[in-house]
Amino acid sequence: VDARARELETLYRERYVAFRNTFTTIMGSREAARDVVQEAFARALRERRKFRGDASLETWVWRIAFHVALSDRREQHVEWQEELDPVVPETTRDPALAQAVQALAPRQRLIVFLRYFADLSYTEIAAVCEVAEGTVAATLYQAHRVLAAQLQEEACR
Amino acid sequence: MITEEHLADRFAGVASSYDDSDWTDVCRRARSMRRRRVAPVVMLAAVLLFAAPAVAFQEQVTRLFVQGEAPPPNEPTITSMFGEEPIGLGARMSDAEAAGPYQIQCSAGTGASLMCTEISGDESLAALKRGETVYGRTVIGIPGGAKAGATEAAAHFEPTDLICPERRGDSLVCFPVTQVQPTIREGVDVFAFYKRHNVTFTEKGNAVEHIGEPTISFNVIKD
């Protein structure tokens, strides 16, 4: 086993749950999300020699995972980012949060989930989504304002 | 204004911390991808290497197969596992939980194993506190491997172990080992072995299992 394969295994073991939770918001079920993550890491493992190090290894795997997820989605004629409609997976655990998140645009939701479910930095989110870091910061700022308003409104009821 | 920390806590509350990762499955998928790619090339090579000489030297090829040694018999292997999953969290399991049938939901099988989770398992893992480590077990069974009434294997189990002798649809029905008293039917290679492991919740909220060596491997007990 080469060093890159070991790195991938370490990444998988440390970050599997974050990957699966994030893709649960996109795929709609934990089973489907698990399949995406397994397939993504399998592809990464197989193609590891193609990793050039332009971004971090994790960013590279996230991109592969989105590609895998979108392969399924494309069969339903859904496009990358703009058409994704991620949702909070366990709405019953925090209905107020789930409802507040629904007030966000789908693209905002995706970035929020990458921030909070995947625990990615602004830089990493920018790399995964192939947007400028400033765009991520602005999106999250707006999302925070919307969420704050929604959640405070909920708290006052 | 709501802070990032507050939001992080709220999102952590709705995220599942259950860890159903399986690196072996990743490796298996990677290998099967390779095989899918390589298969046509191998087929072509096989045709070139074997088919043409076979036509030319049919007699020798036939003799080779007839006189060659038979392959060794297959080693006994586990061909169909019920599940490989932390079944029950011994230290945390209350008497009430251990007293009744326990249902476990399994996903579609991957290779020789099924990935199973307690139907309410998410709750039990999610209820752990970060940094906490609990004692758990992994029990691997084979369909038909358990039956009531015999006692030979019971000594190897602990009261908090669960045995899952029945499969109903996508669910396994499990019972406390003290009720089932499992044994092994003749002709079944292995009934079960279990691994000690601990589950630790990291500070990030991920569940990490520390699986030790299998502690017990059962042999066939003839009826």
Side-chain angles (χ1 to χ4, degrees):
Chain A
V1 179
D2 56 83
R4 182 75 70 225
R6 278 195 294 273
E7 276 181 71
L8 278 167
E9 184 180 357
T10 303
L11 175 66
Y12 176 84
R13 292 190 189 285
E14 289 177 352
R15 301 282 289 145
Y16 169 82
V17 172
F19 271 85
R20 191 211 50 212
N21 284 343
T22 305
F23 280 98
T24 300
T25 70
I26 292 164
M27 304 305 292
S29 80
R30 201 170 72 181
E31 282 302 310
R34 182 179 188 277
D35 197 50
V36 166
V37 179
Q38 296 295 98
E39 196 67 15
F41 272 91
R43 286 190 194 182
L45 188 60
R46 190 194 62 193
E47 308 281 349
R48 61 188 182 276
R49 287 178 183 83
K50 292 183 182 173
F51 174 65
R52 296 190 304 253
D54 298 339
S56 72
L57 186 65
E58 180 169 348
T59 300
W60 184 62
V61 178
W62 275 105
R63 284 183 189 161
I64 292 172
F66 272 107
H67 186 78
V68 171
L70 288 161
S71 298
D72 294 337
R73 291 274 170 153
R74 276 184 189 135
E75 291 168 11
Q76 301 166 30
H77 311 289
V78 177
E79 298 294 330
W80 161 234
Q81 293 186 16
E82 296 301 328
E83 299 293 331
L84 288 178
D85 189 19
V87 294
V88 172
E90 297 280 352
T91 54
T92 53
R93 287 188 183 175
D94 192 340
L97 179 68
Q99 194 176 352
V101 168
Q102 282 307 111
L104 301 174
R107 186 191 176 92
Q108 284 179 316
R109 262 179 265 153
L110 176 67
I111 290 177
V112 164
F113 292 154
L114 285 171
R115 178 70 178 152
Y116 293 108
F117 284 137
D119 201 21
L120 295 182
S121 69
Y122 286 28
T123 311
E124 288 166 327
I125 295 169
V128 169
C129 294
E130 296 166 310
V131 296
E133 197 173 329
T135 305
V136 174
T139 304
L140 282 172
Y141 177 76
Q142 288 166 355
H144 287 160
R145 289 188 63 171
V146 172
L147 289 175
Q150 292 283 324
L151 291 172
Q152 276 166 0
E153 191 178 312
E154 171 68 23
C156 293
R157 277 182 200 160
Chain B
M1 183 72 179
I2 287 178
T3 63
E4 279 215 352
E5 287 72 24
H6 174 80
L7 280 175
D9 285 342
R10 296 285 291 260
F11 278 102
V14 298
S16 169
S17 50
Y18 182 66
D19 188 346
D20 55 352
S21 61
D22 182 356
W23 179 250
T24 309
D25 176 51
V26 170
C27 297
R28 185 187 57 76
R29 287 176 187 235
R31 279 196 299 273
S32 69
M33 284 175 194
R34 273 197 203 99
R35 273 200 293 274
R36 283 201 296 271
R37 279 183 160 186
V38 170
V41 179
V42 170
M43 285 284 283
L44 181 61
V47 168
L48 292 174
L49 284 173
F50 290 101
V55 171
F57 305 106
Q58 189 176 6
E59 191 179 335
Q60 289 89 326
V61 171
T62 305
R63 196 181 304 128
L64 177 68
F65 281 103
V66 170
Q67 294 179 346
E69 287 185 9
N74 289 335
E75 293 295 317
T77 53
I78 297 172
T79 55
S80 178
M81 295 178 187
F82 261 150
E84 186 170 359
E85 191 64 27
I87 298 176
L89 299 168
R92 298 175 60 87
M93 194 182 296
S94 69
D95 292 339
E97 284 175 312
Y102 218 62
Q103 290 225 338
I104 294 178
Q105 197 155 30
C106 297
S107 66
T110 53
S113 65
L114 292 173
M115 295 307 297
C116 306
T117 183
E118 297 161 13
I119 284 174
S120 58
D122 245 14
E123 303 302 324
S124 58
L125 277 176
L128 300 180
K129 292 186 174 67
R130 294 181 180 191
E132 185 179 6
T133 298
V134 296
Y135 169 76
R137 280 173 175 272
T138 297
V139 178
I140 300 173
I142 288 183
K147 63 180 184 179
T151 57
E152 286 89 340
H156 298 295
F157 290 87
E158 291 180 4
T160 50
D161 284 341
L162 296 168
I163 296 300
C164 313
E166 296 176 36
R167 187 184 342 198
R168 292 178 193 164
D170 288 336
S171 297
L172 288 177
V173 181
C174 302
F175 303 92
V177 68
T178 48
Q179 291 181 8
V180 179
Q181 293 186 319
T183 185
I184 302 141
R185 285 204 313 209
E186 187 173 9
V188 177
D189 294 322
V190 180
F191 165 63
F193 65 89
Y194 55 81
K195 304 167 183 175
R196 289 179 187 281
H197 64 272
N198 293 317
V199 179
T200 301
F201 255 32
T202 65
E203 289 305 316
K204 280 195 164 187
N206 300 332
V208 179
E209 289 181 30
H210 311 283
I211 297 177
E213 291 299 310
T215 51
I216 290 177
S217 178
F218 290 101
N219 297 315
V220 175
I221 299 172
K222 296 190 176 182
D223 287 334

